[in-house]
Amino acid sequence: MEENISKPIISYKDVDIVYGGNLVLSDVTFDIRKGEFVYLIGKVGSGKTSIIRSVTGEIPIRKGEASVGNFNLRKLKNRQIPFLRRMIGVVFQDFQLLMDRSVYDNLLFVLKATGWKDKREIRDRIDSVLSAVGMQLKSHKMPYQLSGGEQQRVAIARALLNGPEIILADEPTGNLDTEATENIMELLTGIHDKKDSPAIIMVTHERQLLQKHPFRTLMCENGECRELPADEDFRLDLINLM
Ligand code: ADP
């Protein structure tokens, strides 16, 4: 799709990411625009999740310049964090659905927690996100009655509920078999292909995804996060080091 060439939705310049008193990454610099699909790769412990947690405001930023939408992460106040998070849909490796309630009630829980009141609007929104992920016929099911791939579809529907400008997906296919992985990739790239799609940042370990669905790639390594060049041979050499 045509990228939005206006202001980046996420902009980091010379950012240090410090977690638990340790400098995890230094001088992190990247811009991501609405509608872009970007992979975040790197070995275990290289700082990928720390970047994701800094974008959501869980890890404060003390050095450099960092913004998400109109929020300056260097000056983020606690009271602003819920509004920042409302711009962001998060998808986890282990789905993180509430196991004691149905698919519908998982989504209802999020809408109520984010201030939705009108019953009809709530029902329409849940129907709309469930049909966007092909799960509209399973809204009454409990999460444990679904396969891993189906649970991840529900988690993606949940991420879409408030029309996010950014989706952060932290190893969303890490617990899935090859077929379910491909289905989830098709779902995410299908969301990316739609008009006015959110920016999607996807953490992954899976080299074959980067080959089959090539997108911009940021790699964390040796305390740095850098962009891999678009040149394919070079990319594959580096990816082989993952
Ligand atoms: P990745 O997602 O690439 O596996 P992380 O961002 O989870 O990497 O971890 C980066 C670094 O931060 C690691 O060195 C790890 O030891 C450290 N770290 C991870 N979680 C915590 C935590 N809860 N408290 C302190 N340090 C942590």
Side-chain angles (χ1 to χ4, degrees):
M1 64 169 277
E2 200 176 305
E3 308 293 4
N4 178 357
I5 54 164
S6 60
K7 193 171 168 280
I9 192 83
I10 306 176
S11 181
Y12 277 38
K13 188 161 187 295
D14 302 328
V15 169
D16 280 2
I17 295 180
V18 176
Y19 199 8
N22 298 318
L23 179 62
V24 177
L25 292 163
S26 53
D27 292 328
V28 176
T29 298
F30 61 80
D31 281 348
I32 295 177
R33 291 170 204 287
K34 190 140 186 265
E36 277 196 289
F37 193 117
V38 179
Y39 289 116
L40 188 53
I41 67 169
K43 294 195 170 119
V44 174
S46 62
K48 305 179 297 295
T49 300
S50 300
I51 292 186
I52 299 282
R53 289 190 178 147
S54 71
V55 172
T56 59
E58 270 173 87
I59 298 182
I61 289 173
R62 306 281 179 231
K63 183 181 157 281
E65 291 168 34
S67 63
V68 174
N70 290 326
F71 295 95
N72 177 345
L73 297 187
R74 283 287 299 275
K75 297 191 173 156
L76 194 65
K77 308 257 189 315
N78 281 340
R79 64 178 164 72
Q80 293 178 307
I81 289 179
F83 299 100
L84 168 69
R85 300 226 173 119
R86 221 161 280 183
M87 293 176 57
I88 303 173
V90 186
V91 180
F92 303 95
Q93 178 172 354
D94 59 356
F95 325 130
Q96 296 197 15
L97 300 176
L98 300 170
M99 298 308 275
D100 64 346
R101 64 198 77 191
S102 68
V103 165
Y104 187 94
D105 286 348
N106 265 270
L107 302 180
L108 179 63
F109 178 84
V110 173
L111 287 182
K112 284 194 165 163
T114 51
W116 290 58
K117 301 249 184 307
D118 185 285
K119 286 205 170 86
R120 192 194 169 94
E121 282 175 17
I122 287 175
R123 203 178 55 227
D124 288 351
R125 187 65 194 153
I126 292 176
D127 285 348
S128 158
V129 293
L130 283 177
S131 66
V133 302
M135 290 292 290
Q136 64 275 42
L137 298 178
K138 304 221 169 162
S139 65
H140 59 288
K141 296 270 187 198
M142 298 295 280
Y144 56 77
Q145 296 177 298
L146 305 176
S147 69
E150 288 175 324
Q151 289 189 50
Q152 196 59 300
R153 284 178 178 274
V154 175
I156 292 170
R158 180 181 58 189
L160 292 170
L161 277 171
N162 281 309
E165 296 189 66
I166 301 165
I167 290 184
L168 303 174
D170 195 347
E171 302 223 33
T173 62
N175 281 348
L176 303 179
D177 63 23
T178 313
E179 190 186 340
T181 291
E182 187 50 33
N183 288 336
I184 290 297
M185 266 325 273
E186 277 169 21
L187 177 56
L188 289 173
T189 56
I191 291 168
H192 165 69
D193 285 337
K194 289 210 171 77
K195 191 168 172 289
D196 290 328
S197 66
I200 301 178
I201 303 181
M202 175 170 161
V203 174
T204 186
H205 269 111
E206 296 177 63
R207 266 178 244 165
Q208 73 279 9
L209 292 183
L210 281 78
Q211 290 167 12
K212 188 158 185 205
H213 305 276
F215 292 107
R216 251 187 97 186
T217 304
L218 299 171
M219 178 154 96
C220 297
E221 193 182 38
N222 300 329
E224 292 177 3
C225 177
R226 64 201 165 100
E227 176 131 16
L228 296 192
D231 172 85
E232 194 166 351
D233 292 339
F234 191 75
R235 274 170 66 97
L236 291 185
D237 282 349
L238 284 169
I239 290 163
N240 283 332
L241 298 173
M242 273 166 76

